[in-house]
Coordinates of all heavy atoms in Angstrom, one line a residue:
M81 N -3.5 -7.1 -17.2 CA -2.6 -5.9 -17.2 C -2.3 -5.6 -15.7 O -3.1 -5.5 -14.8 CB -3.4 -4.7 -17.8 CG -2.6 -3.5 -17.9 SD -3.5 -2.3 -18.8 CE -2.4 -0.9 -18.7
A82 N -1.0 -5.4 -15.5 CA -0.5 -5.1 -14.1 C -0.8 -3.6 -13.8 O -0.7 -2.8 -14.6 CB 1.0 -5.4 -14.0
T83 N -1.0 -3.4 -12.5 CA -1.2 -2.1 -12.0 C -0.1 -1.9 -10.9 O 0.1 -2.7 -10.1 CB -2.6 -1.9 -11.3 OG1 -3.6 -2.2 -12.3 CG2 -2.7 -0.5 -10.7
T84 N 0.6 -0.7 -10.9 CA 1.6 -0.4 -10.0 C 1.1 0.9 -9.3 O 0.7 1.9 -9.9 CB 2.9 -0.2 -10.6 OG1 3.3 -1.4 -11.3 CG2 4.0 0.2 -9.6
V85 N 1.2 0.9 -7.9 CA 0.8 2.1 -7.1 C 2.0 2.4 -6.2 O 2.5 1.6 -5.6 CB -0.4 1.8 -6.3 CG1 -0.8 2.9 -5.4 CG2 -1.6 1.4 -7.2
T86 N 2.3 3.7 -6.2 CA 3.4 4.2 -5.3 C 2.7 5.2 -4.4 O 2.0 6.1 -4.8 CB 4.5 4.9 -6.2 OG1 5.0 3.9 -7.1 CG2 5.6 5.4 -5.2
G87 N 3.0 5.1 -3.1 CA 2.5 6.0 -2.2 C 3.2 6.1 -0.9 O 4.1 5.3 -0.6
K88 N 2.9 7.0 0.0 CA 3.5 7.2 1.3 C 2.5 6.7 2.3 O 1.3 6.9 2.3 CB 3.7 8.7 1.5 CG 4.3 9.1 2.8 CD 4.5 10.6 2.9 CE 5.1 11.0 4.2 NZ 5.2 12.4 4.3
L89 N 3.1 5.9 3.3 CA 2.3 5.4 4.4 C 2.1 6.4 5.4 O 3.0 7.0 6.0 CB 3.0 4.2 5.0 CG 3.2 2.9 4.1 CD1 4.0 1.9 4.9 CD2 1.9 2.4 3.7
N90 N 0.8 6.8 5.6 CA 0.5 7.8 6.6 C 0.4 7.1 8.0 O 0.4 7.8 9.0 CB -0.9 8.5 6.3 CG -0.7 9.4 5.1 OD1 0.3 10.0 4.9 ND2 -1.8 9.4 4.3
K91 N 0.3 5.8 8.0 CA 0.2 5.0 9.2 C 1.1 3.8 9.0 O 1.2 3.3 7.8 CB -1.2 4.5 9.6 CG -2.1 5.6 9.9 CD -3.5 5.1 10.3 CE -4.5 6.1 10.6 NZ -5.8 5.6 11.0
P92 N 1.7 3.2 10.0 CA 2.4 1.9 9.8 C 1.5 0.8 9.3 O 0.3 0.9 9.5 CB 3.0 1.6 11.2 CG 2.6 2.7 12.1 CD 1.7 3.6 11.4
A93 N 2.1 -0.1 8.6 CA 1.3 -1.3 8.1 C 0.7 -2.0 9.3 O 1.3 -2.2 10.3 CB 2.2 -2.2 7.3
S94 N -0.5 -2.5 9.1 CA -1.1 -3.3 10.2 C -0.6 -4.7 10.0 O -0.4 -5.2 8.9 CB -2.7 -3.3 10.1 OG -3.1 -3.8 8.8
Q95 N -0.3 -5.4 11.1 CA 0.3 -6.7 11.1 C -0.8 -7.7 11.7 O -1.5 -7.4 12.6 CB 1.5 -6.7 12.0 CG 2.3 -8.0 11.9 CD 3.6 -7.8 12.7 OE1 4.2 -6.8 12.8 NE2 4.1 -8.9 13.2
F96 N -0.9 -8.9 11.0 CA -1.8 -9.9 11.4 C -1.3 -11.3 11.0 O -0.4 -11.4 10.2 CB -3.2 -9.6 10.7 CG -3.1 -9.6 9.2 CD1 -3.4 -10.8 8.5 CD2 -2.9 -8.4 8.5 CE1 -3.3 -10.8 7.1 CE2 -2.8 -8.4 7.2 CZ -3.1 -9.6 6.4
Q97 N -1.8 -12.3 11.7 CA -1.4 -13.7 11.5 C -2.3 -14.2 10.3 O -3.5 -14.0 10.3 CB -1.6 -14.5 12.7 CG -0.4 -14.5 13.7 CD 0.9 -14.8 13.0 OE1 1.8 -13.9 13.0 NE2 1.1 -15.9 12.4
A98 N -1.7 -15.0 9.4 CA -2.4 -15.6 8.3 C -1.9 -17.0 8.2 O -1.0 -17.3 7.4 CB -2.2 -14.8 7.0
G99 N -2.4 -17.9 9.0 CA -1.9 -19.3 9.0 C -0.5 -19.3 9.5 O -0.2 -18.8 10.6
E100 N 0.4 -19.8 8.7 CA 1.9 -19.9 9.1 C 2.6 -18.6 8.8 O 3.8 -18.5 9.1 CB 2.5 -21.1 8.4 CG 2.0 -22.4 8.9 CD 2.7 -23.6 8.2 OE1 3.7 -23.4 7.5 OE2 2.2 -24.7 8.3
S101 N 2.0 -17.7 8.1 CA 2.6 -16.5 7.6 C 2.1 -15.3 8.5 O 1.1 -15.4 9.2 CB 2.2 -16.2 6.1 OG 2.7 -17.2 5.3
T102 N 2.9 -14.2 8.3 CA 2.5 -12.9 8.9 C 2.1 -12.0 7.8 O 2.8 -11.9 6.8 CB 3.6 -12.3 9.7 OG1 4.0 -13.2 10.8 CG2 3.3 -11.0 10.3
G103 N 0.9 -11.4 7.9 CA 0.5 -10.5 6.9 C 0.7 -9.0 7.3 O 0.7 -8.7 8.5
F104 N 0.8 -8.1 6.3 CA 1.0 -6.7 6.6 C 0.0 -6.0 5.7 O 0.1 -6.1 4.4 CB 2.4 -6.3 6.3 CG 3.4 -6.9 7.2 CD1 4.0 -8.1 6.9 CD2 3.8 -6.2 8.4 CE1 4.9 -8.7 7.7 CE2 4.7 -6.8 9.2 CZ 5.3 -8.0 8.9
G105 N -0.9 -5.3 6.3 CA -2.0 -4.6 5.5 C -1.5 -3.2 5.2 O -1.0 -2.4 6.1
L106 N -1.6 -2.8 4.0 CA -1.1 -1.4 3.5 C -2.3 -0.7 3.0 O -3.2 -1.2 2.3 CB -0.1 -1.6 2.4 CG 1.1 -2.4 2.7 CD1 2.0 -2.6 1.5 CD2 2.0 -1.8 3.8
R107 N -2.4 0.6 3.3 CA -3.4 1.5 2.8 C -2.7 2.7 2.1 O -1.9 3.4 2.8 CB -4.3 2.0 3.9 CG -5.1 0.8 4.5 CD -6.0 1.2 5.5 NE -7.2 1.7 4.8 CZ -8.2 2.3 5.4 NH1 -8.3 2.5 6.7 NH2 -9.3 2.7 4.7
L108 N -2.9 2.9 0.8 CA -2.2 3.9 0.1 C -3.3 4.9 -0.5 O -4.3 4.4 -1.0 CB -1.4 3.4 -1.0 CG -0.2 2.4 -0.6 CD1 0.4 1.8 -1.8 CD2 0.8 3.2 0.2
G109 N -3.0 6.1 -0.6 CA -3.8 7.1 -1.3 C -3.0 7.8 -2.3 O -1.9 8.2 -2.1
V110 N -3.6 7.9 -3.5 CA -2.9 8.5 -4.6 C -3.8 9.7 -5.1 O -4.9 9.6 -5.4 CB -2.8 7.5 -5.8 CG1 -2.1 8.2 -7.0 CG2 -2.0 6.3 -5.4
K111 N -3.1 10.9 -5.1 CA -3.8 12.1 -5.4 C -3.6 12.4 -6.9 O -2.5 12.2 -7.5 CB -3.1 13.3 -4.6 CG -3.7 14.6 -4.9 CD -3.1 15.6 -3.9 CE -3.1 17.0 -4.3 NZ -2.5 17.9 -3.4
F112 N -4.7 12.8 -7.6 CA -4.6 13.2 -9.0 C -5.5 14.4 -9.3 O -6.3 14.8 -8.5 CB -5.0 12.0 -9.9 CG -6.4 11.6 -9.7 CD1 -7.4 12.1 -10.6 CD2 -6.8 10.7 -8.7 CE1 -8.7 11.7 -10.5 CE2 -8.1 10.4 -8.6 CZ -9.1 10.9 -9.4
Y113 N -5.2 15.1 -10.4 CA -5.9 16.3 -10.7 C -7.0 15.9 -11.7 O -6.7 15.4 -12.8 CB -5.0 17.3 -11.3 CG -5.6 18.6 -11.7 CD1 -6.0 19.5 -10.7 CD2 -5.9 19.0 -13.0 CE1 -6.6 20.7 -11.0 CE2 -6.5 20.2 -13.3 CZ -6.9 21.0 -12.3 OH -7.5 22.2 -12.6
E114 N -8.3 16.2 -11.4 CA -9.4 16.0 -12.2 C -9.6 17.2 -13.1 O -10.0 18.3 -12.7 CB -10.7 15.7 -11.4 CG -11.9 15.5 -12.2 CD -11.9 14.2 -13.0 OE1 -11.6 13.2 -12.5 OE2 -12.1 14.4 -14.3
R115 N -9.3 17.1 -14.4 CA -9.4 18.2 -15.3 C -10.8 18.7 -15.6 O -11.0 19.9 -15.8 CB -8.7 17.9 -16.6 CG -7.2 17.7 -16.4 CD -6.5 17.2 -17.7 NE -5.2 16.9 -17.3 CZ -4.1 17.1 -18.0 NH1 -4.2 17.6 -19.1 NH2 -3.0 16.7 -17.5
E116 N -11.8 17.8 -15.6 CA -13.1 18.3 -15.8 C -13.7 19.2 -14.7 O -14.3 20.2 -15.0 CB -14.1 17.1 -16.0 CG -13.8 16.3 -17.3 CD -14.7 15.1 -17.4 OE1 -15.7 15.0 -16.7 OE2 -14.4 14.3 -18.3
T117 N -13.4 18.8 -13.5 CA -13.9 19.6 -12.3 C -12.8 20.6 -11.8 O -13.1 21.4 -11.0 CB -14.3 18.7 -11.2 OG1 -13.2 17.9 -10.7 CG2 -15.4 17.7 -11.6
K118 N -11.6 20.4 -12.3 CA -10.5 21.3 -11.9 C -10.2 21.2 -10.4 O -10.0 22.2 -9.7 CB -10.7 22.7 -12.4 CG -10.7 22.8 -13.9 CD -10.9 24.2 -14.4 CE -10.8 24.1 -15.9 NZ -11.2 25.3 -16.5
T119 N -10.3 20.0 -9.9 CA -10.1 19.8 -8.4 C -9.1 18.6 -8.2 O -9.0 17.8 -9.1 CB -11.4 19.5 -7.7 OG1 -12.0 18.3 -8.2 CG2 -12.4 20.7 -7.8
D120 N -8.5 18.6 -7.1 CA -7.7 17.4 -6.7 C -8.6 16.3 -6.2 O -9.5 16.6 -5.4 CB -6.7 17.8 -5.6 CG -5.6 18.7 -6.1 OD1 -5.3 18.6 -7.3 OD2 -5.0 19.5 -5.3
Q121 N -8.3 15.1 -6.6 CA -9.1 14.0 -6.2 C -8.1 12.9 -5.6 O -6.9 13.0 -5.8 CB -9.9 13.4 -7.4 CG -10.9 14.3 -8.0 CD -12.1 14.6 -7.2 OE1 -12.6 13.7 -6.5 NE2 -12.5 15.8 -7.2
W122 N -8.7 11.9 -4.9 CA -7.9 10.9 -4.3 C -8.5 9.5 -4.7 O -9.7 9.3 -4.8 CB -7.9 10.9 -2.8 CG -7.1 12.1 -2.3 CD1 -7.5 13.4 -2.1 CD2 -5.8 12.1 -1.9 NE1 -6.5 14.1 -1.6 CE2 -5.4 13.4 -1.5 CE3 -4.8 11.1 -1.9 CZ2 -4.1 13.7 -1.1 CZ3 -3.5 11.4 -1.5 CH2 -3.2 12.7 -1.0
T123 N -7.6 8.5 -5.0 CA -8.0 7.1 -5.1 C -7.3 6.4 -4.0 O -6.1 6.5 -3.9 CB -7.6 6.6 -6.5 OG1 -8.2 7.4 -7.5 CG2 -8.0 5.1 -6.6
N124 N -8.0 5.6 -3.3 CA -7.5 4.8 -2.2 C -7.3 3.4 -2.6 O -8.1 2.8 -3.3 CB -8.4 4.9 -0.9 CG -8.5 6.3 -0.4 OD1 -7.4 7.0 -0.3 ND2 -9.7 6.8 -0.2
Y125 N -6.2 2.8 -2.2 CA -5.9 1.4 -2.4 C -5.5 0.7 -1.1 O -5.0 1.3 -0.2 CB -4.6 1.3 -3.3 CG -4.8 1.9 -4.7 CD1 -4.5 3.2 -5.0 CD2 -5.3 1.1 -5.8 CE1 -4.7 3.8 -6.2 CE2 -5.5 1.7 -7.0 CZ -5.2 3.0 -7.2 OH -5.3 3.6 -8.5
E126 N -5.9 -0.6 -1.0 CA -5.6 -1.4 0.1 C -5.0 -2.7 -0.5 O -5.5 -3.2 -1.5 CB -6.8 -1.8 0.9 CG -7.4 -0.6 1.6 CD -8.6 -1.0 2.5 OE1 -8.5 -2.0 3.2 OE2 -9.6 -0.3 2.5
C127 N -4.0 -3.2 0.2 CA -3.4 -4.5 -0.2 C -2.7 -5.1 1.0 O -2.6 -4.5 2.1 CB -2.4 -4.3 -1.3 SG -0.9 -3.5 -0.8
A128 N -2.3 -6.4 0.8 CA -1.6 -7.1 1.9 C -0.4 -7.8 1.3 O -0.5 -8.3 0.1 CB -2.6 -8.1 2.5
V129 N 0.6 -7.8 2.0 CA 1.8 -8.6 1.7 C 2.1 -9.6 2.8 O 1.7 -9.4 3.9 CB 3.1 -7.7 1.4 CG1 2.9 -6.8 0.2 CG2 3.4 -6.9 2.6
F130 N 2.6 -10.7 2.4 CA 2.8 -11.8 3.4 C 4.3 -12.3 3.5 O 5.0 -12.2 2.5 CB 1.9 -13.0 3.0 CG 0.5 -12.7 3.0 CD1 -0.1 -12.3 1.8 CD2 -0.3 -12.8 4.2 CE1 -1.5 -11.9 1.8 CE2 -1.6 -12.4 4.2 CZ -2.2 -12.0 3.0
A131 N 4.7 -12.6 4.7 CA 6.0 -13.1 4.9 C 6.0 -14.3 5.8 O 5.1 -14.4 6.7 CB 6.9 -12.0 5.5
K132 N 6.9 -15.3 5.5 CA 6.9 -16.5 6.3 C 8.3 -16.6 7.1 O 8.3 -17.0 8.2 CB 6.7 -17.7 5.4 CG 6.3 -18.9 6.2 CD 5.9 -20.0 5.2 CE 5.4 -21.2 5.9 NZ 4.9 -22.2 5.0
A133 N 9.3 -16.2 6.4 CA 10.7 -16.3 7.0 C 10.9 -15.2 8.1 O 10.5 -14.1 7.8 CB 11.8 -16.2 5.9
P134 N 11.5 -15.6 9.2 CA 11.6 -14.6 10.3 C 12.4 -13.3 9.8 O 12.1 -12.2 10.2 CB 12.4 -15.3 11.3 CG 12.1 -16.8 11.1 CD 11.9 -16.9 9.7
A135 N 13.4 -13.5 9.0 CA 14.2 -12.3 8.5 C 13.3 -11.4 7.6 O 13.4 -10.2 7.6 CB 15.4 -12.8 7.7
Q136 N 12.4 -12.0 6.8 CA 11.5 -11.3 5.9 C 10.5 -10.5 6.8 O 10.2 -9.3 6.5 CB 10.9 -12.2 4.9 CG 10.1 -11.5 3.9 CD 9.4 -12.4 2.9 OE1 9.2 -13.6 3.2 NE2 9.1 -11.9 1.7
I137 N 10.0 -11.2 7.8 CA 9.0 -10.5 8.7 C 9.7 -9.3 9.4 O 9.1 -8.2 9.5 CB 8.5 -11.5 9.8 CG1 7.6 -12.6 9.1 CG2 7.7 -10.8 10.9 CD1 7.3 -13.8 10.0
Q138 N 10.9 -9.5 9.9 CA 11.6 -8.4 10.5 C 11.9 -7.3 9.6 O 11.7 -6.1 9.9 CB 12.9 -8.9 11.1 CG 13.7 -7.9 11.9 CD 15.0 -8.4 12.4 OE1 15.5 -9.4 12.0 NE2 15.5 -7.7 13.4
F139 N 12.2 -7.6 8.3 CA 12.4 -6.5 7.3 C 11.2 -5.7 7.1 O 11.2 -4.5 7.1 CB 12.9 -7.1 6.0 CG 12.9 -6.1 4.9 CD1 14.0 -5.2 4.7 CD2 11.9 -6.1 3.9 CE1 14.0 -4.3 3.7 CE2 11.9 -5.1 2.9 CZ 12.9 -4.2 2.8
Y140 N 10.0 -6.4 6.9 CA 8.7 -5.7 6.7 C 8.4 -4.8 8.0 O 7.9 -3.7 7.8 CB 7.6 -6.6 6.4 CG 7.6 -7.1 5.0 CD1 7.2 -8.4 4.7 CD2 8.0 -6.3 3.9 CE1 7.1 -8.9 3.4 CE2 8.0 -6.8 2.6 CZ 7.6 -8.1 2.3 OH 7.5 -8.5 1.1
Q141 N 8.6 -5.4 9.2 CA 8.4 -4.6 10.4 C 9.2 -3.3 10.4 O 8.7 -2.3 10.9 CB 8.6 -5.4 11.6 CG 7.6 -6.5 11.8 CD 8.0 -7.5 12.9 OE1 9.2 -7.7 13.2 NE2 7.0 -8.2 13.5
Q142 N 10.4 -3.4 10.0 CA 11.3 -2.2 10.0 C 11.0 -1.2 8.8 O 11.2 0.0 9.0 CB 12.7 -2.6 10.0 CG 13.1 -3.3 11.2 CD 14.6 -3.9 11.2 OE1 15.2 -3.9 10.1 NE2 15.1 -4.3 12.3
A143 N 10.6 -1.8 7.7 CA 10.4 -0.9 6.5 C 9.0 -0.3 6.3 O 8.9 0.8 5.8 CB 10.7 -1.8 5.2
L144 N 8.0 -1.0 6.8 CA 6.6 -0.5 6.5 C 6.1 0.3 7.7 O 5.2 0.0 8.4 CB 5.7 -1.7 6.3 CG 6.1 -2.6 5.1 CD1 5.2 -3.8 5.0 CD2 6.0 -1.7 3.8
V145 N 6.8 1.4 7.9 CA 6.5 2.3 9.0 C 5.9 3.6 8.5 O 6.0 3.9 7.3 CB 7.8 2.7 9.8 CG1 8.3 1.4 10.5 CG2 8.8 3.3 9.0
E146 N 5.3 4.4 9.3 CA 4.8 5.7 8.9 C 5.8 6.6 8.2 O 6.9 6.7 8.7 CB 4.3 6.4 10.2 CG 3.6 7.7 9.9 CD 3.0 8.4 11.1 OE1 2.8 7.7 12.1 OE2 2.7 9.6 11.1
G147 N 5.4 7.1 7.1 CA 6.3 8.0 6.3 C 7.1 7.2 5.2 O 7.7 7.9 4.4
A148 N 7.1 5.9 5.2 CA 7.8 5.1 4.2 C 7.1 5.3 2.9 O 5.9 5.3 2.8 CB 7.8 3.7 4.6
I149 N 7.9 5.3 1.8 CA 7.4 5.3 0.4 C 7.4 3.9 0.0 O 8.5 3.3 0.0 CB 8.2 6.2 -0.5 CG1 8.3 7.6 0.1 CG2 7.7 6.2 -1.9 CD1 7.0 8.4 0.1
V150 N 6.3 3.4 -0.5 CA 6.2 2.0 -1.0 C 5.6 2.0 -2.4 O 4.9 2.8 -2.8 CB 5.4 1.1 0.0 CG1 6.0 1.0 1.3 CG2 4.0 1.6 0.1
E151 N 6.0 0.9 -3.1 CA 5.5 0.7 -4.4 C 5.0 -0.8 -4.5 O 5.8 -1.7 -4.1 CB 6.5 0.9 -5.5 CG 6.0 0.7 -6.9 CD 7.1 1.1 -7.9 OE1 7.1 2.3 -8.3 OE2 7.8 0.3 -8.3
V152 N 3.8 -1.0 -4.8 CA 3.2 -2.3 -4.9 C 2.7 -2.5 -6.3 O 2.2 -1.6 -7.0 CB 2.1 -2.6 -3.9 CG1 2.7 -2.6 -2.5 CG2 1.0 -1.6 -4.0
S153 N 2.8 -3.8 -6.8 CA 2.3 -4.1 -8.1 C 1.3 -5.3 -8.0 O 1.5 -6.2 -7.1 CB 3.4 -4.6 -9.0 OG 4.0 -3.5 -9.7
G154 N 0.3 -5.4 -8.9 CA -0.6 -6.5 -8.9 C -1.2 -6.7 -10.2 O -1.2 -5.8 -11.1
D155 N -1.6 -7.9 -10.5 CA -2.2 -8.3 -11.8 C -3.6 -7.8 -12.0 O -4.0 -7.5 -13.1 CB -2.1 -9.8 -12.1 CG -0.6 -10.2 -12.3 OD1 0.2 -9.4 -12.7 OD2 -0.4 -11.4 -12.0
K156 N -4.3 -7.7 -10.9 CA -5.7 -7.4 -11.0 C -6.1 -6.5 -9.8 O -5.6 -6.6 -8.7 CB -6.6 -8.7 -10.9 CG -6.3 -9.6 -12.0 CD -7.2 -10.9 -11.8 CE -6.8 -11.9 -12.9 NZ -7.5 -13.1 -12.7
L157 N -7.1 -5.6 -10.1 CA -7.6 -4.8 -9.1 C -9.0 -5.3 -8.7 O -9.7 -5.8 -9.5 CB -7.8 -3.3 -9.5 CG -6.6 -2.5 -9.7 CD1 -6.9 -1.1 -10.2 CD2 -5.8 -2.4 -8.4
K158 N -9.3 -5.3 -7.4 CA -10.7 -5.7 -7.0 C -11.4 -4.6 -6.3 O -10.8 -3.9 -5.6 CB -10.5 -6.9 -6.0 CG -11.0 -8.2 -6.5 CD -10.9 -9.2 -5.4 CE -11.5 -10.5 -5.9 NZ -11.3 -11.5 -4.9

């Protein structure tokens, strides 16, 4: 079952080398209301996206900045 998370980047994506690709690490927090305790709670997610083509790397560098709203999907949570 796929999971989709939408969130705002409070910090720019971290950039790192991954072999021939460039990786971008994303950290997202999702706020939800816990009805039993009647408090706001947070779930934190971390993921990485990878790019190999120079144009794709440049796009991620420009798009994954502080304040950007991103949506990521994945088949499994770990």
Side-chain angles (χ1 to χ4, degrees):
M81 180 174 179
T83 300
T84 301
V85 177
T86 304
K88 179 180 177 182
L89 295 178
N90 292 326
K91 294 181 181 179
S94 59
Q95 189 172 328
F96 58 93
Q97 277 307 119
E100 296 179 10
S101 298
T102 299
F104 296 87
L106 305 172
R107 298 181 79 184
L108 301 170
V110 177
K111 182 174 156 180
F112 65 95
Y113 182 74
E114 177 65 55
R115 292 177 191 215
E116 291 179 12
T117 61
K118 297 182 178 168
T119 60
D120 289 332
Q121 301 289 322
W122 289 87
T123 300
N124 296 313
Y125 297 92
E126 292 184 44
C127 70
V129 294
F130 299 92
K132 197 170 186 179
Q136 188 179 23
I137 293 167
Q138 184 179 19
F139 171 78
Y140 283 146
Q141 288 171 334
Q142 293 173 349
L144 299 176
V145 297
E146 184 175 341
I149 305 295
V150 297
E151 181 174 272
V152 292
S153 274
D155 290 334
K156 298 178 184 176
L157 289 178
K158 245 184 177 177

